[in-house]
Amino acid sequence: SGAGKSIVLDALAFVAGASRARCQVRTGADSGSVEAEFVFPEAERATWRSLLARYDLPLEEDLVLSRKLDKNGKTRCFVQGRLVPRTTLAELCAHLIEFSDQGDSHALRSPAAQLRLLDVCLGLEVFADATSRAYDGWRTLTTKCDVARQVSDEAERRRDFLEYQLGELRSAGVEDYAALQERIAEMADARGIHDACRDLKSLLGGGEQAVLSRLTDAARRLIHIPESERVLLEGHLNRALDSLHELFQESRRLETGHDFPEREAAAIEEQLVTLRDLARKQRVTPEELGARAGALELELEEARRARERPLELEEETRSARREAERLAVELDEKRRAGANQLEKRVAVELQALGLKSARLGLRFGETELGPQGITHLEIAYASHPSAVGQPLGRIASGGELGRVLLALRWATEVRRPLLVLDEIDAGSGGEAATQIGESLKRAAELGQLLAVTHWPQVASRAA
């Protein structure tokens, strides 16, 4: 205890891109950094060059990762000396490092964790991920479908109201408001000319008191004036009468040519009043009624489409469900197909770990479609030959869980370049710790292991 094991693991998790790093800058320092160098065998370099090429990063003989932490808590990540986002560093390290601690062995009590470990042991992670994505896609579509149905129901309730409003606007002729205004203005001009000419005609020839009648009477009375003076007056008066007769005829012509249609004007005024009332009702100006009708048409069309959307989504949802079920069935078949061989390999590893009489059985059943497919898995464990296999999480001790986890890991060749085991041997001791140390030594021949332990039986076997 106190040798600094946790510091090493914290530093490794930090440089591996952990989102919540436990590292802290030393008191008085401005920053701190961690650097990790990975050297690959020649046979693996082509694979890693291809992977790094996705991020436009080079690979020589080794891969250098580093991460710097400032005292203000900000971090910067580097790959091959180039600044990269933390997510890029984490994605690369997901292919480089696998962390496992005693929590993983205790997690084996969970059926979901057992199923995940089975997929890792059988190399089915790609198929499991595809099934999980398909399930999530189906569930997302199901939610969208439910929302679309609610929107459709609301749209159906609103559709009648929209159709009523639009019908009211269309029947009122909202598009004609500007033309009606222009027509009323034209009629007002015509009415002005008509009334002016009518008044002028009435003034000139409308009865005994009209100008023409009175001037004609005045002309007859000129006979009482001496002829020498009457001739001049008669000339002026006759010319005036001729001009006034022409004025009277022109007024009558203009009055007839600009006749005012009273009924049409009344009808237009009534329509304009209706349109202004509609504008107040719709909370727009009369000039905006046409645009308002267009907006209602669009809303009505959206309501019609909203009725069709659930039908489209229902078909997509059914298709997504079929695809998720197909992948789940395929994954279930692969799990069952690989189970027998895995059981045999696990039995060998359990013996090597000192559980010579223990038996591990994989019992399969079927369950409702979920993120992990349709497989129901129960790992049955028996500690000695006469014992009846019971659920692993219920019967195995902490030490046994750790060794079962190791047996399952060693039963498959699926490994990261570096496997970090943090007190995976917790709960063991004595001969069991010796056997775990031997097991780790053999496993290290297949891939690098970094093991944190409190047992000298384990630590003494490290290279």
Side-chain angles (χ1 to χ4, degrees), residues 19-206:
S19 58
R20 294 186 178 181
R22 297 197 301 175
C23 291
Q24 295 181 354
V25 176
R26 186 174 59 243
T27 302
D30 292 329
S31 63
S33 63
V34 180
E35 184 175 280
E37 179 182 2
F38 293 84
V39 181
F40 298 101
E42 184 65 36
E44 296 182 15
R45 287 178 192 166
T47 301
W48 278 95
R49 284 195 187 96
S50 176
L51 178 61
L52 289 167
R54 300 178 195 170
Y55 303 95
D56 194 26
L57 294 168
L59 177 67
E60 303 298 334
E61 292 184 358
D62 54 8
L63 174 63
V64 179
L65 312 177
S66 61
R67 190 177 182 189
K68 184 175 182 180
L69 175 65
D70 296 332
K71 64 181 179 180
N72 59 8
K74 293 184 178 180
T75 67
R76 286 179 291 169
C77 304
F78 302 86
V79 177
Q80 303 295 62
R82 297 186 186 180
L83 185 66
V84 298
R86 184 194 63 79
T87 51
T88 298
L89 187 64
E91 287 169 7
L92 285 174
C93 285
H95 298 277
L96 282 168
I97 307 172
E98 183 178 356
F99 292 90
S100 183
D101 57 25
Q102 55 184 309
D104 287 346
S105 59
H106 288 294
L108 276 179
R109 301 182 189 277
S110 159
Q114 293 176 4
L115 205 51
R116 282 194 297 271
L117 184 57
L118 175 68
D119 290 334
V120 171
C121 291
L122 296 178
L124 300 177
E125 291 171 291
V126 173
F127 297 97
D129 289 344
T131 301
S132 180
R133 286 195 300 272
Y135 174 81
D136 291 341
W138 168 61
R139 292 302 304 163
T140 299
L141 281 172
T142 300
T143 302
K144 286 183 178 180
C145 197
D146 291 340
V147 172
R149 288 194 195 98
Q150 294 175 3
V151 172
S152 176
D153 292 343
E154 179 62 31
E156 188 64 23
R157 286 191 291 270
R158 185 165 169 73
R159 186 171 61 87
D160 291 341
F161 177 65
L162 291 173
E163 288 179 343
Y164 168 77
Q165 282 193 314
L166 188 58
E168 191 177 37
L169 290 174
R170 289 285 179 247
S171 62
V174 292
E175 296 88 351
D176 302 331
Y177 183 80
L180 292 174
Q181 288 277 76
E182 187 176 345
R183 177 62 178 150
I184 281 293
E186 291 174 355
M187 294 174 76
D189 292 341
R191 184 170 192 166
I193 296 172
H194 177 275
D195 290 349
C197 291
R198 181 195 60 197
D199 293 343
L200 183 58
K201 189 183 71 170
S202 177
L203 176 67
L204 292 172

Side-chain angles (χ1 to χ4, degrees), residues 155-156 158-164 166-167 293-307:
E156 188 64 23
R158 185 165 169 73
R159 186 171 61 87
D160 291 341
F161 177 65
L162 291 173
E163 288 179 343
Y164 168 77
L166 188 58
L296 286 174
E297 275 189 342
L298 287 176
E299 194 173 350
L300 189 57
E301 181 59 31
E302 288 177 1
R304 294 191 188 102
R305 286 200 299 269
R307 285 190 297 170

